[in-house]
């Protein structure tokens, strides 16, 4: 069975995040992420853990005990309908899109549409 730190590393890599990226999401120092992943620190603080679970849609039982699947199933997520099942790649894109400053969203959207046109 994986340790807590190994599960944190797995989920970080699943979302293609650096330790620094995850630290920013959790509002902790990069060293805290490193220490947790290497087992030097047993767990994140409750606040950081809650952010990790919420922002990456993790199953708390998986994170804390290694039981079940890392990502909450769509049935347990009340904010999405049964037809809105996202792949890991779509989740990553959505995560990055949500981090774009509001005043830049339109520019990014236009750029994205131009890229899509090139690959049709």
């Amino acid at each position: 069975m994986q340790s807590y730190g190994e599960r944190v590393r797995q989920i970080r890599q699943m979302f293609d995040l650096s330790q620094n990226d995850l630290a920013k999401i959790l509002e902790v120092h990069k060293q805290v992420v490193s220490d947790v992943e290497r087992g030097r620190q047993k767990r994140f603080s409750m606040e950081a853990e809650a952010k990790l679970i919420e922002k990456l849609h993790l199953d708390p039982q998986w994170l804390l005990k290694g039981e079940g699947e890392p990502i909450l199933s769509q049935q347990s997520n009340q904010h999405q309908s049964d037809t809105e099942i996202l792949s890991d790649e779509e989740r990553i894109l959505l995560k990055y899109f949500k981090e774009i400053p509001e005043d830049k969203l339109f520019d990014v959207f236009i750029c994205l549409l131009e890229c899509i046109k090139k690959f049709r």
Side-chain angles (χ1 to χ4, degrees), residues 56-117:
L56 300 181
H57 306 287
L58 301 182
D59 182 339
Q61 291 299 317
W62 177 82
L63 180 62
L64 301 176
K65 298 179 182 179
E67 299 172 358
E69 296 297 318
I71 307 296
L72 284 172
S73 69
Q74 298 300 325
Q75 290 101 3
S76 62
N77 187 344
Q78 297 176 355
H79 300 292
Q80 296 177 339
S81 72
D82 292 340
T83 59
E84 294 179 13
I85 299 174
L86 300 177
S87 69
D88 288 341
E89 293 83 4
E90 291 167 327
R91 286 182 198 275
I92 292 167
L93 285 171
L94 185 58
K95 175 203 147 321
Y96 285 116
F97 192 78
K98 287 180 177 180
E99 293 176 357
I100 298 168
E102 196 170 318
D103 63 322
K104 301 292 183 190
L105 277 175
F106 183 75
D107 294 333
V108 171
F109 184 68
I110 296 300
C111 182
L112 183 61
L113 287 175
E114 290 172 1
C115 288
I116 290 170
K117 286 179 186 177

Side-chain angles (χ1 to χ4, degrees), residues 2-17 22 25-26 33 36-37 43-80 88 91-92 95 98:
Q2 289 181 312
S3 69
Y4 180 91
E6 290 168 332
R7 289 190 296 275
V8 169
R9 179 179 289 123
Q10 178 185 340
I11 203 70
R12 179 178 62 77
Q13 291 172 343
M14 183 185 296
F15 282 91
D16 195 30
L17 299 170
L22 185 57
I25 290 169
L26 303 180
V33 175
V36 167
E37 286 186 1
R43 288 175 50 183
F44 288 119
S45 69
M46 288 178 56
E47 294 83 9
E49 217 166 64
K51 286 178 188 174
L52 181 63
I53 290 167
E54 178 188 343
K55 300 228 182 227
L56 300 181
H57 306 287
L58 301 182
D59 182 339
Q61 291 299 317
W62 177 82
L63 180 62
L64 301 176
K65 298 179 182 179
E67 299 172 358
E69 296 297 318
I71 307 296
L72 284 172
S73 69
Q74 298 300 325
Q75 290 101 3
S76 62
N77 187 344
Q78 297 176 355
H79 300 292
Q80 296 177 339
D88 288 341
R91 286 182 198 275
I92 292 167
K95 175 203 147 321
K98 287 180 177 180

